[in-house]
Structures are given as C-alpha cells and as structure tokens.
Amino acid sequence: MEKLVIEGGKPLSGAVRIHGAKNAALPILAACIMAEGEITIENVPDLSDIDVMLDILKALGCRTERRGEQIIVDALKVCEHHIPEHLMSQMRSSIFLMGPLLARLGRVELYQPGGCAIGERKIDLHLRGLAALGAVIEESGSKIVCTAEELTGAEIALDYPSVGATENIMMAAVMAKGRTIIAGAAREPEIQDLQHFLNRMGARIIGAGTDTITIDGVPELMPCSYRIIPDRIVAGTLMIAAAATKGNITLENVCPAHLTSAIHVLKRAGVQIAIDDDIMNISSHARPKPVERIVTAPHPSFPTDLQSQIMVLLSLADGVSIIKETVFEGRFKHVDELTRMGADIRIDLSSAFIRGVPRLYGATVEATDLRAGAALVIAGLAAQGTTVVEQVHHIDRGYARIEQMLRHLGANIVRTSPVTTE
Ligand code: UD1
C-alpha cells in the first residue's frame, strides 16, 4: 500500500491550477451513453474514480479514449445493460448509470452500492424518482433490475435534496415523454454543470441551481463537446491547507461563486482571501480564530466534503469551535487520527467540539475515506515532525497526484510504494 510521507511545518507558497470537478465529471460521463456518437469532455481530472467510470462505460459497449484531460466517449454501440458487480462495488457513483441506461435501453441491471465509510448511503430517493417516471424496479438480494418500456414525465418531490438522486432523475427524464418537475432538488454547482451539458446535447432543462428543476422531454440527444467546471472541493482543501500552514498561495481556474460558504468561514477564522475573476489568493499569518458554529448542509451551506479539512484548521485555533455534521452521520472517522496528532476534539452525536491547540505533532495515521484523507494531509503539512498517511488510494479518488500539487506549493511530501520482492 502506498503512503504519503510529510515533513510538516513549511508554509505553502506559490500558484497552482485547480483541476476539473470529479463530482461534475462522473454524472456527465454517465450521461454520454444517451447520445449515439462521439462526445468530447474537457478538463476531466485524472482520478481513480474516473477510471472506474470509464471501465463501466467500456463494459456497456462504449469506446473511450483519454488524451490528457480530454476524454472521448463514443456510445454508438451501447448494447449492454448489466453493470458488473465488481465495478459497482468500487464506486458508489456507478448508480449514475441508472437514469441514462433506462433512457437509452429501457433496462438496467446493477447492484446496491452497499455501505460506505462515511455512513449509510441509501438510494431510495433514486429508485422512487425513477419509479415515478414509469420504471419498474425489482430487487432481489443486492441486485436491482429496472425496466421501462417508456418513461413518462412526472412531478417528483424529493424528501431530501440528494445530489445523486436529483442528477439520476434529471438524466432519466431528458428523453421521457412530457414534462418532469423535480421539487426539493439539490442545488449544487455540479447539478448546474449537468444541466448545461445535457442542454448542449439538445435537452430542455431549466432551474438547476434552484430547488425546482423542469425538464421537457426531447426525442433524442446529440453528441457535443463540453468543459467540466473546476473542482470546488479541491480548491477548498488547498485554501484550508494554505491557512493551516500560515502560507500564501494563489489558485488559478477556480469559481469563487461555488465557494461562498467556505470563503465566509475561512474569513471568520482570520484568513485573508483576495479574488480576481477565476484567481484567488489565500494567505494567513496568525493563529486561526475559532469559529463558533459551522453546520454542514446541502449547497449553498457549508459542504460536508470540506468538514474534515476545516476541522484541522480549527484544531489549531485560539479557542473552541463547534462543527455540526448533518449530511453523513459517520463522517467523523478522522477525529481519532487527529487526536493522535495532538488535536483536542470531543464528539457528541453529530457535533464536534474542537478546543484549539498551539500545534499538532507528526504521527502515522490512516486515511479512512477520501476527504478524511485530505484532512490528514493538511494536518501533516501543519504539524511539527513527520506524518505518514496510509491508505492513500482513498485520496487518489478525488485529488489528482496530490503530492505533486503540494510539492509545487513548496510542501515537503513524497509518496512511497512498498518494496515488492519477486
Ligand atoms: C454527493 C457527492 C458527495 C457529497 C454529497 C453531499 C458525488 C459523486 N458525490 O454524494 O461528494 O458528499 O453529494 O454533498 O456527487 N440519501 C438518502 N436516500 C437517497 C440518496 C441520499 O437517504 O436515495 C441521503 C444520504 O444517505 C445522505 C444524504 O442523503 O445522508 C446526502 O446524500 P446525497 O446528496 O445523495 O449524496 P451523494 O449524491 O451520494
């Protein structure tokens, strides 16, 4: 297993370009199977989750090609409706294929994505939405078979603004007969990106970014070219890393409007942020100020995907901060690891009470999931001494070559591979 070895205590400095958004690229790649022809997607990050999605597309009969950050998907010959269980188990986002496969082939067979390190992640809202459009859903054990001779527009009210369910329903509805209205939709920027992509293919969707999305079905979708938005969570992670190391960095290719709540919280912690169009400068010279209360919640509130990272910064603050996690119940797995680095954090149900300490100390810690792993890297960068982060494969799901990105910003970080013997 690969590890990241970090010599902490060096302020980050310099400039780095933010790569494309994983959470936008995954549904958009899945949506490619709805057009019979070659689609070019630009700014696709080089991540293991993207590789799994490409493997699934190939298993369904697509031709895919990667040229750097450009990916070509040709779905002309899609004929397979079964998603292999071993690919399904590697990535929860394989459920994004449900809507598009139903729309294209009228049938999809897949498996429950199963448990997850950050808590129970149900798919009931996805299934209920697809059923409302006319899909017949049969479950036996972990296998799910959805069929639909014809999908028909419907009014669907989501009990919770699930990002994935909103996207799956949007994709299933684009070629359904008539109008679909999703009320209580998620408002994340990635949903707007999906709307822009689908409309570029000829769909008729309005409202993404608000809580009501209206989709007027069209008979077919056309191939197109599209550029993915920058990854707001990667940008937010680096902003927090700059603050935690008392650094001064410039991020290029960012969309500040997608980071409003994170910018607000960082400013409350005393971090200086200057914005010029798609360029952002982040600097910090003093110990962070505590932030009385942060509540993670669906966009535009503070994102759960930055919760573990901001906890590292607040662990170093001059006072007590509270973070309440409302999206994923199990998302405090990084706390034990941070405690071993000297942090003073107490968990009570879904809230973390963080008493700032003057410094963290290097330790060997384990990344338990993607964002927890990123948080431990930030902790290692800020800590005194050497930190070893194990289970790096979690981090590779969402940060392209994180060690190169951070070395570019002056960090002392290397990836080590185990020595293999024949
Ligand atoms: C997406 C993001 C993930 C982010 C999350 C919340 C992608 C690929 N992933 O995940 O990085 O952390 O949004 O911003 O875009 N729920 C149900 N039933 C469902 C679906 C969801 O109860 O059918 C619950 C989940 O258990 C969770 C909450 O809703 O507690 C939020 O989940 P959701 O918004 O669906 O997140 P994902 O789309 O899985």
Side-chain angles (χ1 to χ4, degrees), residues 72-272:
I72 293 165
V73 179
D74 185 347
L76 184 66
K77 294 189 179 145
V78 165
C79 53
E80 181 55 71
H81 49 245
H82 178 257
I83 303 177
E85 193 167 10
H86 72 277
L87 292 175
M88 198 70 215
S89 65
Q90 282 180 44
M91 185 183 61
R92 180 182 160 82
S93 297
S94 35
I95 51 171
F96 286 139
L97 271 311
M98 288 177 96
L101 271 177
L102 267 182
R104 172 86 189 258
L105 300 178
R107 184 177 178 93
V108 53
E109 293 179 13
L110 40 60
Y111 301 84
Q112 280 283 354
C116 171
I118 59 173
E120 191 190 9
R121 292 176 83 173
K122 292 186 284 185
I123 58 165
D124 55 321
L125 298 172
H126 297 243
L127 298 180
R128 254 187 272 155
L130 298 177
L133 296 174
V136 176
I137 295 162
E138 292 167 67
E139 294 185 66
S140 77
S142 66
K143 190 168 183 185
I144 305 171
V145 179
C146 298
T147 47
E149 267 175 33
E150 184 178 65
L151 292 167
T152 311
E155 291 195 14
I156 299 168
L158 291 177
D159 296 340
Y160 182 90
S162 155
V163 177
T166 302
E167 293 169 336
N168 234 336
I169 297 166
M170 279 168 77
M171 293 189 280
V174 277
M175 289 196 280
K177 207 169 144 201
R179 172 170 288 188
T180 298
I181 298 174
I182 310 174
R187 295 187 280 163
E188 270 66 4
E190 292 76 19
I191 292 169
Q192 294 182 54
D193 212 31
L194 180 63
Q195 169 178 296
H196 293 148
F197 171 67
L198 292 169
N199 284 348
R200 182 76 64 85
M201 290 169 96
R204 290 177 57 207
I205 310 175
I206 55 167
T210 75
D211 63 4
T212 305
I213 300 176
T214 304
I215 304 137
D216 283 314
V218 295
E220 60 175 346
L221 296 176
M222 305 296 171
C224 67
S225 308
Y226 193 74
R227 187 173 181 80
I228 303 281
I229 53 171
D231 196 308
R232 65 193 166 101
I233 305 300
V234 171
T237 301
L238 291 175
M239 291 166 77
I240 295 168
T245 59
K246 300 201 187 90
N248 183 343
I249 67 168
T250 300
L251 303 180
E252 296 159 0
N253 188 41
V254 276
C255 185
H258 297 169
L259 284 155
T260 312
S261 60
I263 291 170
H264 179 66
V265 165
L266 283 169
K267 283 188 173 171
R268 277 165 68 201
V271 180
Q272 282 90 53

Side-chain angles (χ1 to χ4, degrees), residues 175-399:
M175 289 196 280
K177 207 169 144 201
R179 172 170 288 188
T180 298
I181 298 174
I182 310 174
R187 295 187 280 163
E188 270 66 4
E190 292 76 19
I191 292 169
Q192 294 182 54
D193 212 31
L194 180 63
Q195 169 178 296
H196 293 148
F197 171 67
L198 292 169
N199 284 348
R200 182 76 64 85
M201 290 169 96
R204 290 177 57 207
I205 310 175
I206 55 167
T210 75
D211 63 4
T212 305
I213 300 176
T214 304
I215 304 137
D216 283 314
V218 295
E220 60 175 346
L221 296 176
M222 305 296 171
C224 67
S225 308
Y226 193 74
R227 187 173 181 80
I228 303 281
I229 53 171
D231 196 308
R232 65 193 166 101
I233 305 300
V234 171
T237 301
L238 291 175
M239 291 166 77
I240 295 168
T245 59
K246 300 201 187 90
N248 183 343
I249 67 168
T250 300
L251 303 180
E252 296 159 0
N253 188 41
V254 276
C255 185
H258 297 169
L259 284 155
T260 312
S261 60
I263 291 170
H264 179 66
V265 165
L266 283 169
K267 283 188 173 171
R268 277 165 68 201
V271 180
Q272 282 90 53
I273 298 173
I275 295 169
D276 180 9
D277 197 16
D278 68 346
I279 296 177
M280 209 187 284
N281 179 267
I282 303 98
S283 62
S284 180
H285 310 288
R287 195 171 168 191
K289 292 184 202 154
V291 180
E292 208 175 296
R293 190 174 156 82
I294 299 172
V295 181
T296 69
H299 193 77
S301 293
F302 192 83
T304 176
D305 283 354
L306 286 176
Q307 178 258 107
S308 43
Q309 299 92 314
I310 200 75
M311 195 180 290
V312 176
L313 183 69
L314 298 178
S315 293
L316 292 162
D318 191 9
V320 176
S321 309
I322 300 174
I323 302 179
K324 185 171 169 61
E325 171 62 57
T326 75
V327 183
F328 292 113
E329 74 275 16
R331 212 163 203 187
F332 283 138
K333 294 238 167 70
H334 48 283
V335 169
D336 285 348
E337 304 301 279
L338 289 178
T339 305
R340 294 200 300 111
M341 295 178 75
D344 182 353
I345 305 167
R346 183 173 61 80
I347 302 294
D348 185 10
L349 299 174
S350 59
S351 294
F353 298 82
I354 305 141
R355 188 176 296 280
V357 293
R359 66 181 54 81
L360 297 172
Y361 298 93
T364 296
V365 288
E366 185 184 322
T368 49
D369 66 71
L370 166 57
R371 307 303 172 187
L376 295 174
V377 170
I378 298 174
L381 294 171
Q384 184 176 311
T386 308
T387 295
V388 178
V389 182
E390 298 180 328
Q391 306 291 339
V392 180
H393 62 97
H394 287 297
I395 302 173
D396 294 335
R397 291 183 40 224
Y399 299 84

